[in-house]
Amino acid sequence: QQPVQSPQAVILREGEDAVINCSSSKALYSVHWYRQKHGEAPVFLMILLKGGEQKGHEKISASFNEKKQQSSLYLTASQLSYSGTYFCGTEPHGSSNTGKLIFGQGTTLQVKP
Amino acid sequence: EPEVTQTPSHQVTQMGQEVILRCVPISNHLYFYWYRQILGQKVEFLVSFYNNEISEKSEIFDDQFSVERPDGSNFTLKIRSTKLEDSAMYFCASSGRGPYNEQFFGPGTRLTVL
């Protein structure tokens, strides 16, 4: 039931791009993306909904393939501030509609100068 | 910008003791959540709360756990008899519009059970 994220870790140079994937074995209604820096709370980045609606930061882009039950987060022209652990949180389709998020194990991104 | 606040930031307790973790959600939000994160691991759902009652709870949220909204602003998580394995960071989150909408997380309370 837990979504699987890949890769587990990424090291980039400033200005490089990265893609983080989140796959679920269950049909999803929404995928939420969060970034967490060490010792801090997760910060909301983006939500993607079944049907194509997206809500989030302008500089972050993501996709949601409902058929494949997969979402990808695109980080372009990375900056040092992008460093952190990225989590996807999923709301399975047909769930109890309580807002419960099931998180993946996280992808650690390190951006070096 | 409104934010979720949590107190205390760090709580140290002895095994078997009761602890209450406090949260003040964003003021016009109606949906509240507790999550926990064991050091170095993923964030895990504990409970969701709406309209003064629990709407869903996980297997982790057993009889030792309870939540309450004692007044119009606070949202608390109580652990009646703490165990060593309860040591974790506990995050409160709130949402203005419930399912399929962004949840805003508080800074967390680090609970250490000795």
Side-chain angles (χ1 to χ4, degrees):
Chain A
Q1 188 168 357
Q2 173 190 327
V4 176
Q5 290 183 231
S6 62
Q8 285 192 323
V10 186
I11 300 175
L12 297 174
R13 294 281 177 196
E14 262 187 300
E16 292 181 339
D17 302 339
V19 180
I20 300 172
N21 299 305
C22 174
S23 296
S24 173
S25 58
K26 286 195 156 203
L28 301 175
Y29 194 93
S30 71
V31 179
H32 303 227
W33 285 97
Y34 287 82
R35 176 172 58 219
Q36 185 180 33
K37 292 187 182 279
H38 184 70
E40 298 181 9
V43 173
F44 171 77
L45 295 176
M46 171 161 282
I47 179 173
L48 302 106
L49 301 173
K50 182 177 159 67
E53 185 181 354
Q54 295 186 14
K55 293 182 268 187
H57 292 264
E58 293 172 5
K59 294 189 176 180
I60 304 282
S61 65
S63 64
F64 180 22
N65 187 322
E66 295 166 35
K67 261 191 172 180
K68 290 186 179 179
Q69 295 159 190
Q70 180 177 315
S71 177
S72 296
L73 184 72
Y74 304 99
L75 302 164
T76 55
S78 58
Q79 304 167 19
L80 294 176
S81 61
Y82 286 12
S83 293
T85 301
Y86 290 76
F87 290 97
C88 67
T90 57
E91 289 185 276
H93 195 266
S95 67
S96 44
N97 299 341
T98 59
K100 167 186 174 180
L101 292 178
I102 304 168
F103 284 92
Q105 81 280 16
T107 295
T108 301
L109 178 76
Q110 186 181 4
V111 181
K112 294 187 171 180
Chain B
E1 190 171 320
E3 56 184 20
V4 177
T5 60
Q6 291 185 243
T7 54
S9 56
H10 191 186
Q11 173 93 48
V12 180
T13 190
Q14 296 289 324
M15 193 168 57
Q17 295 295 304
E18 175 183 287
V19 294
I20 297 176
L21 310 182
R22 291 184 167 78
C23 168
V24 179
I26 294 173
S27 64
N28 59 349
H29 283 188
L30 300 174
Y31 298 82
F32 312 116
Y33 309 89
W34 283 101
Y35 293 87
R36 79 169 187 192
Q37 185 177 34
I38 294 170
L39 189 63
Q41 297 186 23
K42 67 182 173 80
V43 178
E44 298 176 290
F45 170 81
L46 291 178
V47 66
S48 58
F49 191 88
Y50 170 69
N51 201 24
N52 276 325
E53 61 183 23
I54 290 174
S55 46
E56 187 169 1
K57 57 185 180 180
S58 71
E59 309 84 46
I60 303 167
F61 195 91
D62 61 21
D63 293 343
Q64 295 301 314
F65 289 85
S66 63
V67 289
E68 202 177 32
R69 187 152 163 82
D71 53 42
S73 59
N74 289 285
F75 180 49
T76 62
L77 175 69
K78 183 193 290 187
I79 310 174
R80 284 190 191 81
S81 178
T82 50
K83 307 185 195 85
L84 295 175
E85 54 266 35
D86 292 329
S87 294
M89 182 73 94
Y90 288 80
F91 292 107
C92 172
S94 71
S95 173
R97 293 167 290 171
Y100 323 130
N101 286 282
E102 58 268 39
Q103 295 178 24
F104 295 92
F105 281 67
T109 293
R110 178 165 297 287
L111 177 66
T112 303
V113 182
L114 302 175

